[in-house]
Structure formats: C-alpha cells, structure tokens
Amino acid sequence: MKIVNLLAVVDNEKCRGCRTCERVCPVLAIKMENRKAVVDNERCRGCANCEQRCPYYAITMVKREQPIAVKVDVTAVDYALIEDLCRKAKFNPEQIICYCTATRAEEVAAAILQGAKSPEEISFLTGVRTGCKVECIQPVLRLLEAADIKPEPPKGGWQWYGRTVTVWEIPEEVKRKYASRGFYFDEDIKILDRVANAPLQGRSDS
Amino acid sequence: MRPPIMPIPPRPSQYGIDPSLVKTRVAELPGMTSIGLKELFPDLPDVIYPSAEGVAAIRKATEESLKNVDMSKIKPEHSVNILAAHHGFTLLGGEPYAEMLKTIKDVIEARTGCKNIRLRAGVGLRFRETEEYIKRYGLDEYFNGKAIGVAPVDEGIAIETEVGTLYGIKKIYDADWIVHAHNSDVREVHFHRQVDRAVKPFGMAYARIETRSTYHQNLGPRAANFTARAIFDSPFVQSKFAFASFLTVAPNGIINVDSDNDLYALNDRVTQSGCKYYGKMMTLFGEIDECIAALDFPCPVVYVFSAGVIYANFAGANTDLYDLDIALPAYTWYTEAFYGKRGKPLLDDIPRVNKAIKMCVHNYAWTGYPSAFFSEHIPTIVVGQEQADLFNRDPQNLTYMKHAMVAEDTKAAMEFAYKVTGTKKVLIFDGAMGGINVSEPLAEFLLKKAPEVSKRVDEELLPKWLRQRGVIL
Ligand code: SF4
Ligand code: SF4
C-alpha cells in the first residue's frame, strides 16, 4: 500500500516545455498542454520523479490536504490464481517487490488479474515504482509476462525499455566461465526457488 | 582516553534538514572517546589522506598513478567522459574525490591534447545529489560547464551483453572514450559481497533502472554483480573504455590512487585490500555483543559510516558478509523482501538483523533511500521533529516514522537509549576520519578484541575469502 501525501505542482513561469517530466512519470500523470507541463492531480502518485529531473527546477512537491491510500484489494481475486501467477513469475506471493511501499507480489498479481495491462497502470493502482522509482520495474514486467501480457513502453518515454535476464536464464557456458570468480548462480537459484515455493504466512497485513 | 574526533559539519542539501537544526553531535556528549584505527589494527596501511599535505597529496598520487596508463587512443579531436559516482563525494569530506577528478582531467588534457573532456556523475536514489556536489566542489567551472549529474531514469541506451540486452544511461556513453573514476571504499558489502567491487558502477551509477532492478531483483544475492560485469565486458563498453582511476581506501583513510588500463587487474588489487582491511573491521564489529548505534552524518540512514563500515553492514555484522557460502546477509533488499506478512522471514534459515544493536539514535541522516526496514526491526529514536517531517515527505520513507520515536534533543535521546537498553556501549556512525568515535566501555571492548580478530582474519578468513573470489595475487 502507498499513502500519497504529495502532489507535483508546476511553475508555469519556469517551465520551458522540454517534456522531460512527461518522459519520466511512471503513471503518465504529467503531460504537455500548450507547451507547458500540466499535472493530473488525481493521477499523480507523488513520486517526485518529475521534480527531481526537471532541468529548470520548475516543479515542487507540495503536501496534499487529503492524502490518497493506494492499494489493490487482494481478497477481491481468487487467491489460487494469484498464487499461480506469482509462482510462475518465480515470486512468493508474500515476497516484497517494492521496498519503498512494501508492496508484495500478490498485490501486483491481483492488479493484473483485475485487468491491469502495463507497468503504468500497475503503478497507478498499487504505488510500485513511485517510491525510489528505480528498483521494481523487473518484477512488474516478470509478473505481466507470467500472465502472457507483453506491454509496450510508452512512446518516446524513458519510463522503461524492456525486461532483462533472470538468474534462471543465465546460459550454462556463462556460469562455467565465471565459476571461479565468486558468482554463485546455481546456489542463488536454490535459495530463490526455496523462497518462491515457501509456504504462505497467510495473514492479511491490513 | 582520547578526545573524540569532530565529524564533518552537517551539509545543506535537499535531502537533509537545515544544518542549523543539528545543534549537538553525539561525539560531543560526555563519555565519548575515539580510537585511532591503527591502534586497533597496527598493520593497516599508511594513508596519504587525511594528512598535513591535504588534497595536494591526492593530486600528486593521481599524477603518479597515471604515468603507467596508456592514453594513446585518445586523440585531440576526440571527446572523453570521465565517469564519477556519488559515493566518492561522501568519502572523507568529498574533497579528495573531487581533486582526483580534476587531476584526471588535467592529465588527459596535457598528455593527449584533447580538450573536450566532460564529467558525468551518476547517483544512487537521490537524483540531484551529484548536482549538489558538482556545485559544491566547483566542478562545473573546472570542466568548463561540461559537468552534469545523470540519473537512472534519464534517457537510456540498449547494451548487448553475454546475457542479453541491458540498459545504460545514454549520457554516460555519449563520448568517444570513457574513464571510470571511482574509489575502493567497501561500502555496500552486504550487496556486492566484495565480488567485482571495482566493476559495480557499470551496473549501478552508470546504469538505467532496468539494469539496477535486474541486479536487485532478477539475479540472486551472490550472482547479482554479474550484471555489472556483463555490461563492462560488452563490445560496446569495451570499445569506449580508456582506463580506470581509483582512490584506494582503507578504514583509516586514502592509501593511494590506483590507475590501470586493465580494470580486472585493478579489481583484484581492490578485492585483496578490501577483504583484508575492511574484513578486519567488519569482523571486529561482528564481535560487539550489545550497543547503541548513533547515526550522525550527511547521507542516508544505511550509508552513515564508522571506521569505513556503513550502518547497513553493521545491521548484518552477525553474519560473515565476506563468506560466500552464506547465502544471505541479515540485511539486503533480498532479506528485506523475504519477510512474509507476519513479519517473519519466509524461510527459517534467513538470518535476522544483528541483535547487538539494541537501539538506534538517529541524530542526523538524510532521506533518499528506502530505510523503513531499519526502524521496523531496530528500536529507533529520531532527534528533532524536523527530521521526522522530512522523512514523512520522502516517497521512499513514508513509513520510517511509523516505527520510530522523536526526541527533543540529542542528549535526551541518548539518555533514553541508555535507560531502556541498559548498555553503555555506543558506536557512532559519523564518518570520523582516521579513527572511530565510541563510548569508553566500547573502546575498551574493541581494543581487547582486536588482536584476536586480526589473527583470525589473516590466518583463517582472508585465505577463504580470496579463494572464493579466485583472487591470487
Ligand atoms: S521537465 Fe520542467 S521544464 Fe520540462 S516540461 Fe516538465 S516542468 Fe516544464
Ligand atoms: S506521479 Fe511522480 S512524476 Fe508523475 S506527476 Fe506525480 S510526482 Fe510527477
């Protein structure tokens, strides 16, 4: 769950319409209108990506009067389906995949099972990718792929480019080549598999 | 007992509170002392910084080390990107790293006639951090306006590697040549496990979010560093790589500057000194049975350091972070991710946070790194409402204060900590140079334990650690 207590506010005097903010917003909440950036207040998840990257320091983050709680209800979906999807993507459903918001794989899976089809929609619904903005793109792409969804990155955007390798896909010859240099691929597969298949603790954290 | 070493003053930054709000440093309180690191481990190397010579020693060492580097590929009409990363600027005040960067520029220019030399400085999770350092150290002027901070959400570039496509930051690679300017400070040994430490920025500070996410989520805790090696080994990066220059660092300061056209040769040297010197500090810290940890330095909670060891490593010092047979430290993002809904690890053999940390007094630290795991697992008391408010505004730390308490001032926080924990041992993470600030009982404890730790590392642990990494020098 994420509590959104901030909102991006653009200073029109400073904005030069460079589109950087539009290209980095993980939920597509800031867009150009008449060559100025405009924030969709309801959509903004307060991540500060735009504020942190605007080359002209035209954006500030202000406190929202009414914070928004962003969360997908896991109980609204058949848990067996959630479990299947997570384990197919090699996650334990209870595994945290976003450290800033402590969002678990099950919540992202629930969002997908309820119809979310892209990282942008998932971030909007769950808050993942709106904390540090860096670490959780791959789990999101893996869970989408496990649901046979192949999203396209936003056109012209820098939000994300593509899924990358997982430890289960490292070629054997690569493993062999670097075996003596401290890369413990097979041993790590063992622990990640054990985590993915570990029994659920099974209590709602609400 | 010696007087404490005064830590560097608080810094103005958008990631920290106003320096004027930091009224007392923990080291100033009664009962605090310092130990010179060479008192603990007499075999620590001599340092060139801190020293009476100041940063001039860094300039000299950089020039000296670059004498052995081949720069013949760089032509006057070419462009060169000197690649830097944010952590160098928190090391011993930051000036030594800035001086090394300036010297590299000057030497390249003098030796090759090339004038188009730019600085590209990567960040962690605080996207404007290096912009602040560039101004602070006058690097923008020094590089004739060609010094910029780059962030992992900036425009990317696909890099084809042995394990498929990974992504770098476009501006890192937009020159004919790249120079990797870094440091060997052990920093996040809980993540990199001292495997390919010298190569890591190619998968972090110079990399896009997809690559960093691969490192932290797609590979395992001991395989993850391969991400950086895959990128560095790619034909694309190899075609641009000129050389690397490192501040080589030990817990007591900067030992030298090491430059090489062969990054892996440099990497092996760094692996050995990292395992030996920081390995001793880590092992000694692992011996601490109980203490109050005090954070007092301008950088995020996890990174505040003491004797070269960061707080995040101390949170895992109950396991041997260098021993690759141990799958998981007690703290990494992997460990953190593996706690289920009941707040217990998903597997019984996942190690718990270092029980020796009875309480954490957060006197001064920055935001900009997800740190709620710490306040959730270690009783935490934050000094001043302003720091608490800052955390509540940080998208990465919205629940940090949920688990922490606020004290009015430093003295009250420490008195509370003494009372509740019953221990008088205090370890201060304030980046004191050349020594370590601690309370008197902890000083006695560490001085007593150090000789045995030193012997154990030299005779038992170091040979194992180096064997696991294939490093034979
Ligand atoms: S990044 Fe800044 S200047 Fe560029 S369009 Fe957005 S608000 Fe305007
Ligand atoms: S979600 Fe983030 S990037 Fe998008 S408008 Fe809000 S603060 Fe800016």
Side-chain angles (χ1 to χ4, degrees), chain A residues 86-125:
Chain A
C86 292
R87 305 236 203 242
K88 199 173 159 202
K90 299 199 183 280
F91 291 114
N92 187 295
E94 293 192 15
Q95 192 173 329
I96 288 171
I97 59 149
C98 171
Y99 314 108
C100 303
T101 60
T103 304
R104 298 177 191 278
E106 60 173 17
E107 198 183 328
V108 172
I112 294 170
L113 291 163
Q114 287 179 323
K117 290 203 164 11
S118 69
E120 291 66 41
E121 274 177 80
I122 290 169
S123 297
F124 176 68
L125 294 168

Side-chain angles (χ1 to χ4, degrees), chain A residues 52 57 164 177 188 201, chain B residues 15 131 162 214 222 268 344:
Chain A
Q52 288 282 295
Y57 297 79
T164 55
K177 197 164 146 195
D188 276 359
Q201 290 181 5
Chain B
Y15 305 106
E131 286 173 26
E162 261 180 305
T214 309
R222 293 162 296 175
D268 279 359
K344 284 196 313 204

Side-chain angles (χ1 to χ4, degrees), chain B residues 2 5-8 35-37 49-51 91-96 251-253 297 305 307 430-437:
Chain B
R2 297 159 33 141
I5 303 163
M6 264 308 108
I8 63 161
I35 322 175
L37 296 182
Y49 190 96
S51 74
L91 213 57
L92 300 153
E95 286 87 358
N252 52 329
F297 189 79
F305 62 101
D430 62 1
M433 292 194 208
I436 160 180
N437 287 329

Side-chain angles (χ1 to χ4, degrees), chain B residues 94-233:
Chain B
E95 286 87 358
Y97 188 57
E99 187 63 21
M100 182 181 80
L101 297 173
K102 291 174 181 173
T103 313
I104 297 170
K105 174 189 176 282
D106 293 343
V107 174
I108 297 175
E109 208 170 294
R111 287 251 301 267
T112 69
C114 174
K115 291 236 175 305
N116 193 5
I117 304 170
R118 305 93 150 251
L119 180 70
R120 303 280 195 249
V123 294
L125 303 178
R126 299 161 298 290
F127 295 168
R128 294 221 194 262
E129 188 180 3
T130 55
E131 286 173 26
E132 292 182 355
Y133 296 130
I134 282 169
K135 284 198 194 86
R136 183 180 188 94
Y137 299 111
L139 292 162
D140 41 357
E141 271 173 51
Y142 210 88
F143 281 80
N144 307 313
K146 293 180 185 170
I148 55 165
V150 293
V153 292
D154 290 350
E155 187 172 9
I157 182 164
I159 299 175
E160 299 312 321
T161 79
E162 261 180 305
V163 291
T165 310
L166 288 164
Y167 299 88
I169 298 165
K170 197 172 174 189
K171 285 209 162 88
I172 286 282
Y173 297 105
D174 68 354
D176 297 308
W177 300 106
I178 53 169
V179 171
H180 174 36
H182 205 63
N183 71 81
S184 71
D185 163 33
V186 76
R187 200 62 44 158
E188 302 128 324
V189 70
H190 55 286
F191 280 137
H192 61 71
R193 311 292 294 271
Q194 196 72 56
V195 173
D196 267 5
R197 167 74 184 87
V199 189
K200 192 175 174 236
F202 285 91
M204 284 287 140
Y206 312 155
R208 274 271 313 181
I209 58 168
E210 294 80 3
T211 300
R212 297 194 193 192
S213 184
T214 309
Y215 182 104
H216 286 298
Q217 312 242 26
N218 276 6
L219 302 188
R222 293 162 296 175
N225 289 299
F226 190 70
T227 323
R229 185 179 272 247
I231 290 188
F232 179 69
D233 282 351

Side-chain angles (χ1 to χ4, degrees), chain A residues 8 24-27 29-30 39 43-51 61:
Chain A
V24 299
C25 176
V27 296
I30 188 161
V39 178
R43 230 185 138 74
C44 172
R45 290 293 175 253
C47 76
N49 228 353
C50 54
E51 179 257 354
M61 301 305 297

